[in-house]
Amino acid sequence: MQRLVYENSWDKAVADQDRETIEKVFRETSIPARQEISFSMIRTALNYKGELLVTGVLHNFKQDRFTVEKKQLTYKEEGRTIAESVFTIPQIVLEAETSMPWTFIFPVESIINKPILAGGQLFF
């Protein structure tokens, strides 16, 4: 049975409205065929530094642990690559059948095309 967990700092800091959105996205997620890791989008934005923020719920449907160590992530909108970067995030440790909200921050230099900040998908 898939369960939702929060990284400690998220659990303490997430606003009630955001928590409701995260839990709604989690409840509405179905296990994709043959996909062990997936990401349900919540929102995208550019911060004051011009970095791309991709927020959503990361799902581990596998029977073993998943970590983000030297993982290439690609953010696309309408099939067009917007940003690519390699991530190592020690705080992300997803046990079997676990989901966790997270914001991936793509550095300015990883942005290939200007985002429209809508209709995006994150690929592992």
Side-chain angles (χ1 to χ4, degrees):
M1 180 77 167
Q2 196 74 16
R3 61 189 178 92
L4 178 64
V5 299
Y6 290 83
E7 189 269 336
N8 286 338
S9 63
W10 271 74
D11 198 26
K12 294 175 186 173
V14 69
D16 290 341
Q17 183 177 357
D18 289 338
R19 187 179 297 270
E20 288 174 19
T21 300
I22 289 164
E23 290 175 5
K24 181 177 187 282
V25 167
F26 173 74
R27 283 191 310 271
E28 294 174 355
T29 299
S30 58
I31 299 173
R34 298 185 187 163
Q35 191 170 359
E36 296 181 327
I37 304 297
S38 72
F39 189 78
S40 299
M41 295 291 299
I42 293 177
R43 71 178 65 92
T44 54
L46 292 173
N47 68 12
Y48 70 97
K49 296 179 187 177
E51 298 166 320
L52 177 64
L53 311 178
V54 179
T55 301
V57 181
L58 179 60
H59 306 281
N60 176 14
F61 297 113
K62 301 187 310 178
Q63 295 301 313
D64 52 322
R65 176 184 286 184
F66 173 78
T67 60
V68 176
E69 186 174 333
K70 297 180 184 174
K71 298 266 190 231
Q72 169 96 22
L73 275 70
T74 303
Y75 174 72
K76 293 183 177 189
E77 292 175 344
E78 299 175 349
R80 189 178 72 150
T81 298
I82 303 300
E84 288 184 318
S85 190
V86 174
F87 288 85
T88 295
I89 304 172
Q91 298 93 324
I92 298 178
V93 178
L94 285 176
E95 298 300 332
E97 299 179 331
T98 302
S99 300
M100 173 190 289
W102 198 260
T103 298
F104 290 95
I105 302 173
F106 286 84
V108 172
E109 58 273 9
S110 72
I111 300 173
I112 299 164
N113 290 297
K114 184 176 179 177
I116 57 173
L117 305 176
Q121 291 182 291
L122 189 64
F123 297 91
F124 287 78

